[in-house]
Amino acid sequence: MTQSTQKTPEKRKATQIQRKLLSRSAQKQLSHSATISILSSALWLVQAASIAGLVADYATGADLSSHLTNLILFAGAGLVRIALNHLAEYWAYKAADESVADLRRTLLEKIISISPFSAARPPSAQFTSLFAEKLNALYPYLTSYHAAYRRTMVMPLIILGISFWHSWVAGLILLIGGPLIPVFMALVGYAAQDASEAQLKEVSSLNVLLLDRLRALQDIRLLGAQQHTTEAFADKAQALHTKTLKVLSIAFLSSTVLELFAALGVAMMAVYVGFSLLGELNFGAYTTPLTIFEGVFLLLIAPDFFQPLRDLAAAWHDKATAQALMVELEDFTEAQTQSFVGPATQEWCAVRSIPADALRNPLIQLHGLSIRFNETCAITYPDTTIQPGTSLAITGPSGSGKSTLLALLAGLVPPTSGDILINDFPLDATNGNLWRSQIAWIPQFPQFQRGTLADNLSLGSSPEHVQRYLPEALQRIEAAHIIDRLPDGLMTLLGEDGAGLSGGEARRMMIARAICSHRPVLLADEPTADLDEETADLIKQALLNCASQGCTVIIATHDNKLASAMNATLSLEKSYA
């Protein structure tokens, strides 16, 4: 009883998500596909009647014209069925493509709205697996289940009515055998959904583990933990293997049950028709003994009575997988995460009477600013004014909130209370994007996009802008020898970790990118951390040059030498409330 109670909310949740899954357009397309599919299945009754007519005509010695009529009817119905099947598949796949594209768009909008400083930000491997791999599992459900469900609701009833019309025994055979299949399908289906949910979770867990271990590969080698890592990964892989086999075993079990009852139903129909045509059974027909036409016709339509149930059983497992996936989608899209301040378009800003250049040459003021991480942890910052074109060093022990203050200033996380004023405009959703367009960001850990070094240095800038400012930026950080030693110079391909560049060189390239962007505000998080003194002095001088040219430079640092070179210092204490 407890287990059933625990499952109910998840199943109810999956049903609600399933209703949200399809847009009105996709629902109409699937409805068209299902209706056409029913018409195609109904044409088999016409073809079965044509075949039964041919057999009866042959047995009674009918003339050639009757044979030709049945042959033409059979061929014509077959061609129409082929056309209808293609049309039904077209509408189904169109609806599936539209629905999956909408879901991918929703996932992208969600992931790009999550702040990189959000503690609840999902692992990139989990998002990638969901976005690129798991969403494809919806295609079998969307293209098969709805049409199979509608056929199951219509075609067995039509065939059952026709069977009763010709013979009450034939109708009774189908009536007894048919309902047992959905009962077993439902019982097995509930287990299939639980198994599918467990398997999908294991896929995400394995992907996250693999990406984490690849990122930490160098540390694993240095610590000599190769064997332990391999064994842990093998255990995870085995767990996924076990859960996948469980899903497959349930699928085979349900298919076996279905085929058993379908075979028994068709066999009973064949026995009744055979003995009736032989004259051994004289009951079941209403007025006369069963004719050859009726017998052959009933034999031909009996398997088609079970065929929609077969199709539904095959699609039932796709439905279970889709429902498990939709629960994961809902958990992902409704997760409570920290978002950027905004985003907002410049057009929206104009509507709110904020001119496009209102945030340039900014006077930055902090009033009562604080951020709360949870019920027991919050940081409060002192009121501060940062004049345009000045430099400020944010100092303090680790954990005092230096990086968090930079994130607050960039609008990467919203404050819990207080205000950040930019030229007397409060930083909020109406100007978040516009403010970020004025900022050059230097992260604590250099990050690149996969592409050439030139592409990374010119990220977010026009070709004309790059042509004008990139040479100056490279000159300021004395990067000529770095560019020269790379195999293809500025056209050298880099990975996300900046492969081919040392740590100091990667940090200098981040500085060059910030300088090249020529933004009025530069935020740098520990720009000289873990660098030799010569490289640190070079970066310090580059930052000072930016400040001397009117750029507002704000850095978070433990480097006392760098902090003392700034115009002002904001010292933070490690205190939580």
Side-chain angles (χ1 to χ4, degrees):
M1 186 70 179
T2 303
Q3 185 177 2
S4 174
T5 305
Q6 291 174 346
K7 292 179 181 178
T8 301
E10 287 298 318
K11 294 189 173 76
R12 188 181 298 116
K13 185 177 182 181
T15 303
Q16 293 170 350
I17 303 166
Q18 184 178 343
R19 292 171 183 169
K20 299 178 184 177
L21 176 64
L22 301 176
S23 64
R24 290 186 178 181
S25 173
Q27 289 176 5
K28 288 181 180 179
Q29 291 164 1
L30 285 181
S31 179
H32 293 334
S33 174
T35 302
I36 295 169
S37 178
I38 291 172
L39 292 176
S40 175
S41 297
L43 282 176
W44 166 245
L45 301 179
V46 177
Q47 290 185 291
S50 301
I51 297 173
L54 280 171
V55 174
D57 290 345
Y58 181 80
T60 57
D63 57 15
L64 183 61
S65 61
S66 179
H67 290 300
L68 288 176
T69 300
N70 285 315
L71 284 173
I72 293 172
L73 187 61
F74 177 84
L79 291 174
V80 175
R81 283 189 73 192
I82 292 172
L84 290 177
N85 284 335
H86 279 290
L87 188 58
E89 288 181 1
Y90 166 77
W91 284 112
Y93 275 96
K94 186 177 180 181
D97 286 338
E98 181 180 310
S99 299
V100 172
D102 287 343
L103 286 172
R104 285 201 166 109
R105 190 177 301 110
T106 300
L107 286 175
L108 278 176
E109 290 173 354
K110 174 66 177 180
I111 197 68
I112 64 177
S113 70
I114 301 176
S115 168
F117 290 86
S118 175
R121 185 180 178 89
S124 57
Q126 179 184 352
F127 168 76
T128 304
S129 174
L130 182 60
F131 181 86
E133 178 184 354
K134 293 183 181 179
L135 281 182
N136 289 332
L138 290 175
Y139 274 95
Y141 165 69
L142 293 172
T143 57
S144 304
Y145 178 79
H146 286 274
Y149 180 79
R150 291 279 290 276
R151 287 198 305 272
T152 303
M153 295 296 102
V154 176
M155 290 307 301
L157 295 178
I158 294 175
I159 294 174
L160 188 64
I162 292 174
S163 300
F164 270 112
W165 177 267
H166 290 286
S167 168
W168 62 268
V169 173
L172 192 62
I173 291 172
L174 297 181
L175 183 62
I176 294 174
L180 293 175
I181 296 175
V183 172
F184 280 96
M185 280 172 54
L187 293 175
V188 176
Y190 291 139
Q193 181 177 343
D194 293 337
S196 296
E197 288 180 8
Q199 192 236 7
L200 287 174
K201 290 179 181 177
E202 199 65 41
V203 169
S204 294
S205 177
L206 187 61
N207 285 334
V208 171
L209 178 66
L210 176 60
L211 184 58
D212 287 343
R213 296 302 180 268
L214 288 175
R215 286 173 174 171
L217 195 58
Q218 185 174 358
D219 295 332
I220 291 172
R221 288 175 176 173
L222 290 174
L223 295 172
Q226 297 96 320
Q227 183 176 355
H228 175 76
T229 302
T230 303
E231 291 174 354
F233 193 79
D235 291 340
K236 278 286 185 181
Q238 183 60 40
L240 176 60
H241 172 75
T242 303
K243 288 179 170 62
T244 302
L245 286 181
K246 185 176 181 180
V247 174
L248 292 175
S249 65
I250 294 173
F252 283 123
L253 173 63
S254 61
S255 299
T256 302
V257 171
L258 173 63
E259 293 299 330
L260 173 63
F261 284 102
L264 288 175
V266 174
M268 290 297 295
M269 182 68 77
V271 169
Y272 167 70
V273 170
F275 278 102
S276 295
L277 294 180
L278 290 173
E280 297 295 329
L281 297 178
N282 298 316
F283 62 90
Y286 295 106
T287 54
T288 60
L290 207 63
T291 65
I292 294 177
F293 173 84
E294 290 175 326
V296 174
F297 182 61
L298 288 172
L299 278 176
L300 289 173
I301 66 174
D304 219 53
F305 173 82
F306 297 100
Q307 189 58 48
L309 298 172
R310 283 192 178 102
D311 296 339
L312 185 62
W316 191 273
H317 304 286
D318 298 327
K319 177 191 175 185
T321 301
Q323 284 184 325
L325 176 57
M326 286 184 284
V327 170
E328 184 175 349
L329 279 169
E330 185 81 349
D331 291 340
F332 186 91
T333 55
E334 293 191 357
Q336 297 298 317
T337 56
Q338 286 182 318
S339 301
F340 293 96
V341 176
T345 63
Q346 292 192 15
E347 289 75 11
W348 188 9
C349 294
V351 171
R352 295 292 298 272
S353 302
I354 300 177
D357 60 351
L359 305 182
R360 294 175 185 168
N361 299 318
L363 171 67
I364 304 172
Q365 296 172 289
L366 312 183
H367 291 301
L369 191 66
S370 69
I371 183 169
R372 178 168 292 279
F373 301 100
N374 51 51
E375 294 181 357
T376 60
C377 180
I379 299 177
T380 300
Y381 295 98
D383 292 351
T384 306
T385 299
I386 307 171
Q387 298 292 335
T390 60
S391 57
L392 173 70
I394 304 172
T395 62
S398 298
S400 59
K402 299 187 299 298
S403 297
T404 303
L405 180 55
L406 287 183
L408 288 166
L409 289 170
L412 298 180
V413 290
T416 305
S417 62
D419 294 305
I420 299 175
L421 300 180
I422 314 296
N423 289 340
D424 294 327
F425 290 104
L427 179 60
D428 57 22
T430 66
N431 52 38
N433 270 2
L434 183 60
W435 171 237
R436 279 188 289 273
S437 69
Q438 312 298 310
I439 294 175
W441 177 268
I442 302 175
Q444 183 174 358
F445 303 102
Q447 294 179 339
F448 296 86
Q449 290 188 346
R450 182 169 181 81
T452 65
L453 176 58
D455 291 338
N456 277 276
L457 292 177
S458 61
L459 194 64
S461 302
S462 66
E464 296 79 11
H465 184 95
V466 173
Q467 187 176 7
R468 179 179 178 183
Y469 292 110
L470 183 57
E472 177 190 357
L474 294 175
Q475 182 181 5
R476 283 196 195 178
I477 62 167
E478 299 181 9
H481 69 286
I482 300 176
I483 306 300
D484 291 341
R485 75 167 185 80
L486 294 175
D488 296 312
L490 286 172
M491 302 309 295
T492 301
L493 286 173
L494 299 178
E496 292 182 6
D497 58 352
L501 298 172
S502 68
E505 291 171 344
R507 194 75 58 84
R508 288 161 75 174
M509 291 304 157
M510 292 290 99
I511 301 287
R513 181 165 70 185
I515 296 173
C516 181
S517 67
H518 217 256
R519 304 286 172 82
V521 179
L522 189 154
L523 304 181
D525 192 1
E526 299 287 0
T528 59
D530 304 322
L531 298 181
D532 60 84
E533 186 175 353
E534 181 181 353
T535 304
D537 286 340
L538 184 63
I539 289 177
K540 179 190 72 173
Q541 191 58 49
L543 294 173
L544 291 175
N545 287 339
C546 289
S548 66
Q549 294 187 0
C551 177
T552 301
V553 177
I554 305 173
I555 61 170
T557 183
H558 285 96
D559 186 344
N560 293 328
K561 187 176 180 181
L562 176 61
S564 62
M566 300 293 107
N567 296 137
T569 300
L570 175 62
S571 182
L572 302 180
E573 299 296 332
K574 188 173 182 179
S575 60
Y576 298 114

